[in-house]
Amino acid sequence: MLTIGRDIIDAIVAHARRDHPDEACGIVAGPIGSDNPVRHVPMDNAERSATFYRFDSMEQLRVWREMDDRDEEPVVVYHSHTATEAYPSRTDTSLAGEPKAHYLLVSTRDPSTEEIRSFRIVDGTVTEEPVQIVDASVDPTAVTTYMFGQSPAAVDYECSTGH
Amino acid sequence: MAIEVRIPTILRQYTGGAKVVEGTGDTIADLLTNLDASHSGLRARLITDEGALHRFVNVYINDEDVRFLGALDAKLNDGDTVTILPAVAGGALAFAAVEALADNLR
């Protein structure tokens, strides 16, 4: 299960919409071993492509060093698919190099639907996991319009496999 | 000459879990050969069958990407730090097309 703040999800989706139709990419860093993604770092897609992404190598070095200095790791690695579903392609699977990360995919194919899914990708095996979006600041009495909302302060996106 | 080499999580299976190892060599190619003696299998993860640096691995000498320094021929000096990072890449493009692209750019 990926548990992540509503503000961070909003920022990731906004980044993906902004870069559409190119794929957007980035990370969310968190303290090592915490499994808690807290610091959103949007990255440049060096490929500037609608079908491929790659972190700029110099930006990646800078960001990875910064995480080292702060005792952080990339808890979430995200990118968008702009015309297809939010599911890892064979390319995504074969190139996944962070076995401890949650691979978050956002699809921007529909401008009015927020489509986000999370996966573990280890040794070429993809395992989908539920995403729990939490928002501590939300008014618990507020009306929510989330399709799969279980409570006003936590939204679970269910998936078909694994937990 | 001693070169400090920073190893990413995904390759620490070859270094007994160590995050930093030491090696020697005048070039990146020499260093990887030297490292493979004590950390068997590491070199094969970084270099293709054709003998080039794998396209989806980033190798840096201090603050520079070795692709801009001559790749495997990039020169090393005593006290340099080499950092290895898996490229973060992917996308919706079909796998065969990516392989073709990678071949073309090698």
Side-chain angles (χ1 to χ4, degrees):
Chain A
M1 153 108 64
L2 168 65
T3 301
I4 189 168
R6 167 47 68 186
D7 53 338
I8 293 173
I9 288 292
D10 285 350
I12 289 172
V13 171
H15 178 207
R17 298 265 188 234
R18 196 163 61 236
D19 285 7
H20 185 92
D22 286 350
E23 292 195 5
C25 55
I27 63 158
V28 189
I32 290 173
S34 70
D35 202 30
N36 185 22
V38 291
R39 191 167 66 88
H40 174 217
V41 186
M43 306 281 288
D44 281 341
N45 177 1
E47 303 287 332
R48 304 210 184 286
S49 162
T51 52
F52 197 64
Y53 80 96
R54 179 179 182 139
F55 287 6
D56 174 79
S57 72
M58 295 313 296
E59 184 182 33
Q60 188 185 347
L61 179 66
R62 184 175 59 71
V63 170
W64 257 243
R65 284 222 176 117
E66 198 172 82
M67 284 192 287
D68 245 15
D69 292 345
R70 300 167 63 118
D71 293 321
E72 291 174 338
E73 60 189 353
V75 179
V76 170
V77 175
Y78 73 88
H79 76 282
S80 63
H81 285 176
T82 58
T84 54
E85 66 175 332
Y87 190 87
S89 65
R90 283 181 62 190
T91 307
D92 295 331
T93 306
S94 71
L95 297 181
E98 295 287 346
K100 293 199 287 188
H102 300 269
Y103 281 88
L104 188 75
L105 275 92
V106 179
S107 176
T108 53
R109 59 182 168 175
D110 181 343
S112 60
T113 306
E114 182 179 284
E115 187 180 343
I116 49 174
R117 295 167 75 179
S118 182
F119 306 85
R120 297 286 189 167
I121 307 177
V122 180
D123 293 333
T125 302
V126 176
T127 309
E128 187 164 9
E129 60 182 0
V131 179
Q132 184 183 51
I133 299 176
V134 294
D135 185 353
S137 67
V138 80
D139 177 355
T141 61
V143 176
T144 61
T145 54
Y146 301 127
M147 203 182 311
F148 303 111
Q150 296 191 335
S151 72
V155 182
D156 293 317
Y157 283 71
E158 292 302 336
C159 68
S160 53
T161 57
H163 286 280
Chain B
M1 63 169 73
I3 308 293
E4 179 185 291
V5 184
R6 304 183 72 84
I7 305 291
T9 310
I10 197 166
L11 295 179
R12 288 180 199 159
Q13 58 185 287
Y14 302 105
T15 61
K19 194 173 167 181
V20 179
V21 299
E22 272 209 355
T24 61
D26 292 332
T27 64
I28 290 289
D30 291 348
L31 174 69
L32 294 182
T33 300
N34 171 261
L35 286 178
D36 208 58
S38 40
H39 309 291
S40 181
L42 184 62
R43 186 176 180 279
R45 292 295 298 274
L46 304 174
I47 295 186
T48 64
D49 292 344
E50 293 76 32
L53 186 62
H54 197 290
R55 176 160 158 73
F56 294 106
V57 172
N58 296 331
V59 178
Y60 309 87
I61 300 175
N62 304 322
D63 294 328
E64 297 289 330
D65 186 329
V66 300
R67 285 194 178 80
F68 305 122
L69 301 172
L72 291 174
D73 297 327
K75 296 278 184 290
L76 289 167
N77 293 303
D78 197 20
D80 279 346
T81 297
V82 168
T83 303
I84 302 170
L85 291 180
V88 182
L93 187 61
F95 184 72
V98 170
E99 285 297 282
L101 180 70
D103 286 343
N104 287 339
L105 293 175
R106 245 174 225 142

